[in-house]
Amino acid sequence: MPRVRISVVICVYTEDRWDDILAAVDSVRAQSLPAHETLLVVDHNARLLRRLRDHYKNMAVQVLANAGPRGLSAGRNTGVAASHGEVIAFLDDDAVAERGWLRHFAAGYADPRVMAVGGRTVPVWASRRRPAWFPEEFDWVVGCTYRGLPPGRVRVRNVLGGNASFRRAAFDAAGGFATGIGRDADRRPLGCEETELCIRLARARPDALLLIDDRAVIHHKVPAARERFAYFRSRAYAEGLSKALVARSVGARAGLETERRYTTRVLPAGIARGLRDALLGRAGGAGRAGAIVAGLAAAASGYAVGTARARRGGDHFTIGPVPDPRAPDPAMPTAAPGPSASAATPDPSVSDAPADGRARPRHEGAT
């Protein structure tokens, strides 16, 4: 079987992450299985776009402007449209991939029924160690693999967006990432766009297999602000809002199937472990048990609010198209009509920052 060609898409939005972006790209360039191409999609930040194009002008890295609305979903769709590989892998801009990352992804696609392969995301805490109160069951809050996912290479309902790959045929069958459901800068830290896509894909291709291979590892930075309980609670609430949108799109049965097991098995076991640790005098046990209860309550509250809004028509999203890669680059000056008037950039969006480069919140993985 010929070696699968994998395009890697990294969505970026702020110069505040300049060193992180370079590290992410370097980790792709160091893969044991070379990427077919690396694409950086810049979310409506003209200064960052120019700076990256200048930095990579003599390297095999393509720098594109997000051709759609602000937000992670549209940025990913832009990357999909501009890429040429049979498989498109996504890497967060504040993460680095281990050397075998793409090789393990590629192995999963030996079976033609496999439409998506995700990996394991390990947190890199700004404080250099996990906060004692932070439960592993909620590592999805900071975009990482959480306790409760099965080990090895296993079939799953959905992959987690910051460390994932999709066969190009998946987008042909189901369309792109939905805009209006994931991160888009000025709003709460929403997510679940990859969950919604995966469920939609399974409906379009009932024979499709979606896998997670925990050998495909990336290391994801967790800034100090996200080690705080206030962010933990806010992100859990936002996850509930997002899940309400997913349920509206695909139905509560499909949209909450994995969450039911998580809330009825994984979380009670986590609470029990925390309480046991507290009784044994181990640091953080009571805090972890309390955080699980608080996180579950926040997510449930967000889901209730999101469901009510959806019934009133207050929140909505659209299925992102795979844009035309011949469309003009929205971040560059418009040229006069003629052969050079268009640039090779597509549609949708990523996490964002305004043109002045100020940091804005970005997508994290979700359950």
Side-chain angles (χ1 to χ4, degrees):
M1 178 180 175
R3 189 179 75 182
V4 63
R5 298 185 304 164
I6 303 181
S7 300
V8 177
V9 173
I10 303 173
C11 294
V12 305
Y13 69 104
T14 175
E15 289 183 273
D16 289 353
R17 290 188 175 177
W18 178 260
D19 290 340
D20 294 336
I21 295 168
L22 302 190
V25 173
D26 286 347
S27 75
V28 174
R29 291 166 61 86
Q31 290 295 298
S32 58
L33 174 66
H36 176 66
E37 60 190 344
T38 303
L39 302 95
L40 288 175
V41 183
V42 182
D43 193 29
H44 297 268
N45 187 332
R47 188 168 69 184
L48 178 59
L49 181 73
R50 290 191 296 269
R51 187 178 178 188
L52 285 170
R53 281 180 172 169
D54 183 65
H55 182 83
Y56 287 114
K57 64 183 176 183
N58 297 319
M59 302 184 207
V61 177
Q62 188 176 4
V63 181
L64 309 170
N66 174 14
R70 293 187 186 276
L72 183 59
S73 292
R76 286 175 174 166
N77 290 338
T78 294
V80 171
S83 63
H84 299 89
E86 294 93 356
V87 170
I88 300 95
F90 299 96
L91 178 66
D92 276 348
D93 66 345
D94 53 354
V96 294
E98 291 191 359
R99 182 171 167 77
W101 180 59
L102 291 182
R103 179 167 54 84
H104 291 302
F105 276 174
Y109 290 102
D111 185 337
R113 297 174 300 168
V114 173
M115 288 290 115
V117 182
R120 178 162 57 96
T121 302
V122 178
V124 180
W125 303 95
S127 60
R128 301 192 180 278
R129 66 177 184 175
R130 172 186 298 274
W133 62 269
F134 202 115
E136 293 181 20
E137 291 81 1
F138 273 79
D139 277 5
W140 54 263
V141 162
V142 291
C144 296
T145 301
Y146 57 93
R147 185 168 191 163
L149 287 176
R153 185 196 289 174
V154 295
R155 187 173 184 178
V156 293
R157 181 195 66 181
N158 64 276
V159 296
L160 306 183
N163 179 11
S165 63
F166 292 85
R167 203 183 288 275
R168 181 174 298 280
F171 298 103
D172 295 337
F177 290 94
T179 59
I181 190 172
R183 287 290 179 104
D184 79 353
D186 291 323
R187 301 174 62 189
R188 286 184 180 272
L190 300 175
C192 295
E193 67 273 21
E194 69 277 359
T195 301
E196 192 276 339
L197 171 62
C198 288
I199 296 173
R200 192 168 10 106
L201 172 60
R203 288 185 168 182
R205 291 284 300 268
D207 62 331
L209 298 179
L210 285 70
L211 307 176
I212 284 183
D213 188 336
D214 65 7
R215 299 170 299 172
V217 179
I218 70 170
H219 299 265
H220 184 267
K221 292 181 71 173
V222 181
R226 295 184 183 179
E227 295 185 8
R228 298 170 185 160
F229 182 73
Y231 180 82
F232 176 92
R233 185 173 54 191
S234 174
R235 178 67 185 87
Y237 178 81
E239 184 73 1
L241 293 174
S242 300
K243 282 293 190 294
L245 286 174
V246 171
R248 178 185 178 192
S249 172
V250 301
R253 180 174 181 180
L256 300 177
E257 180 181 5
T258 297
E259 289 71 20
R260 290 190 184 95
R261 176 187 174 277
Y262 175 75
T263 56
T264 59
R265 298 184 185 180
V266 175
L267 295 188
I271 293 170
R273 271 190 300 271
L275 294 176
R276 181 196 61 198
D277 288 347
L279 290 173
L280 294 174
R282 295 171 182 167
R288 289 190 296 274
I292 291 174
V293 173
L296 177 59
S301 177
Y303 183 80
V305 171
T307 300
R309 289 178 180 173
R311 287 172 178 166
R312 296 195 304 266
D315 284 333
H316 66 280
F317 63 92
T318 57
I319 305 305
V322 175
D324 183 355
R326 299 167 299 175
D329 185 334
M332 301 301 291
T334 303
S340 62
S342 64
T345 47
D347 164 69
S349 139
V350 40
S351 261
D352 75 70
D356 63 7
R358 291 177 296 168
R360 283 182 172 173
R362 202 171 168 276
H363 170 74
E364 296 292 358
T367 57

